[in-house]
Amino acid sequence: MTPADYDYLRKFLKERSGLDLSSDKQYLVESRLLPLARKASLPGIPDLVLKIRNGDGRLATDVVEAMTTNETFFFRDKIPFDHLRDSIVPGLIQARAARRSLRIWSAASSTGQEPYSIAMCLKEMGAALAGWRVEIVATDLSQEVLEKCKAGVYSQFEVQRGLPIQLLMKYFTQASDVWQLNADVRAMVQFRQLNLLQDFSHLGTFDVIFCRNVLIYFDQDTKAMIFERMAKGLESDGALLLGAAESVVGITDAFRPVSDRRGLYQLNPARSGRAMGGLMPQPLKVAAAR
């Protein structure tokens, strides 16, 4: 790959996916795109670049999907799901008692482990959410991984990563050497293809937004833009959950961290001008599903 080819791919990926590659990541591009070039019966990456320049849309999509990291596992990092169970949902149950509905967005949902972890977490809250309308919207840039999400089928290796054995036995059915999530849990999640660089106001307003381990690949200006848009799509007393290595500090003042709740953020009332309630400082006991 020539320096010119690499520069083109850096700009192309930045525009199409927000991926901000530094000048020393050529090895990463080569390792991921050489197999794609061979699959397309091309001699190498320069030929792949030429076809993209000439308007091969299918190959362009394949390049973006090959370069997008889809690392994920069930209940990843655990703490965000503890926040959801112990603080966020109990607080929202009280605040939404009149309308009895919750909307949760899992942005960059990858192969589905995060939104399905959210669904199982809510299932485990049992009677506390009985009669409520719960909507989980999961989005990702890659149509390929979304198809895997919808199927809800995972290998033995995938279900062993982060998924407690009791939840595996309760919510999955084994078929040969794979496990399929039960239909009632799958039905809780809607999957939609979405590029975070584009306007996502059509998704509506959410009570909780999970946007974890994706913004680390974007530059500061792109992160700030996405945070501003998410602020407009979050209820005034809603919650934003980021990855362990992510923060709003130094990027936007649209959100503020919640004290003693790592990775948890709320709208900044001083910036938004909207009245808001605080997340419950102490866990609220709820009935567990039996």
Side-chain angles (χ1 to χ4, degrees):
M1 179 175 18
T2 67
D5 289 332
Y6 183 58
D7 286 342
Y8 173 81
L9 287 170
R10 287 178 65 190
K11 293 174 183 176
F12 168 78
L13 289 165
K14 176 79 178 295
E15 291 170 359
R16 289 288 295 267
S17 69
L19 183 61
D20 188 27
L21 290 171
S22 59
S23 58
D24 62 347
K25 289 293 190 293
Q26 184 168 327
Y27 72 93
L28 177 64
V29 173
E30 290 177 337
S31 68
R32 295 194 180 183
L33 297 190
L34 272 174
L36 181 60
R38 295 191 186 103
K39 183 179 178 181
S41 300
L42 298 171
I45 293 178
D47 306 272
L48 183 147
V49 169
L50 181 60
K51 287 184 74 69
I52 295 175
R53 285 181 180 273
N54 290 336
D56 191 321
R58 177 64 257 181
L59 192 57
T61 299
D62 289 345
V63 166
V64 172
E65 293 200 352
M67 289 303 304
T68 303
T69 301
N70 290 313
E71 168 67 8
T72 187
F73 50 90
F74 288 101
F75 295 96
R76 184 177 183 180
D77 302 329
K78 188 178 180 296
I79 290 176
F81 301 97
D82 290 343
H83 292 333
L84 185 70
R85 181 193 65 235
D86 296 337
S87 299
I88 300 172
V89 173
L92 290 172
I93 285 174
Q94 294 184 4
R96 306 287 187 271
R99 78 181 198 201
R100 298 174 68 81
S101 68
L102 290 176
R103 294 193 81 227
I104 300 174
W105 177 20
S106 170
S109 60
S110 188
T111 47
Q113 284 92 326
E114 179 175 271
Y116 286 141
S117 294
I118 295 168
M120 286 184 280
C121 188
L122 297 180
K123 277 276 192 184
E124 287 296 288
M125 298 190 76
L129 288 171
W132 282 61
R133 182 174 63 84
V134 177
E135 182 182 0
I136 303 169
V137 177
T139 65
D140 199 90
L141 176 65
S142 170
Q143 186 61 45
E144 181 180 348
V145 300
L146 286 174
E147 292 305 317
K148 177 176 173 62
C149 291
K150 293 174 186 176
V153 176
Y154 298 95
S155 67
Q156 185 69 40
F157 173 73
E158 288 172 318
V159 298
Q160 286 176 335
R161 298 186 71 197
L163 183 64
I165 185 64
Q166 65 269 28
L167 297 186
L168 174 64
M169 303 310 297
K170 188 173 185 178
Y171 295 117
F172 287 77
T173 301
Q174 187 172 19
S176 185
D177 59 345
V178 298
W179 294 80
Q180 181 166 40
L181 194 63
N182 295 343
D184 60 329
V185 181
R186 283 185 279 130
M188 295 175 67
V189 184
Q190 302 175 23
F191 292 99
R192 303 180 191 176
Q193 186 174 23
L194 179 76
N195 188 334
L196 287 174
L197 298 184
Q198 299 169 351
D199 177 50
F200 43 76
S201 59
H202 62 281
L203 294 178
T205 304
F206 294 92
D207 300 296
V208 185
I209 297 176
F210 280 72
C211 185
R212 303 190 306 133
N213 308 304
V214 61
L215 297 182
I216 54 175
Y217 300 106
F218 298 163
D219 63 24
Q220 296 291 87
D221 290 342
T222 303
K223 291 177 185 177
M225 174 196 69
I226 292 172
F227 280 137
E228 290 294 326
R229 291 177 178 174
M230 286 187 169
K232 293 177 182 177
L234 187 65
E235 293 280 5
S236 60
D237 58 348
L240 170 68
L241 289 147
L242 300 180
E246 298 167 320
S247 174
V248 303
V249 177
I251 302 173
T252 180
D253 63 354
F255 293 93
R256 67 178 185 182
V258 176
S259 179
D260 299 325
R261 294 287 189 272
R262 180 167 63 84
L264 179 56
Y265 299 83
Q266 282 192 295
L267 291 173
N268 182 354
R271 224 308 285 282
S272 68
R274 290 189 273 172
M276 60 182 288
L279 290 171
M280 302 186 68
Q282 297 298 326
L284 178 71
K285 292 184 179 180
V286 296
R290 298 297 181 187

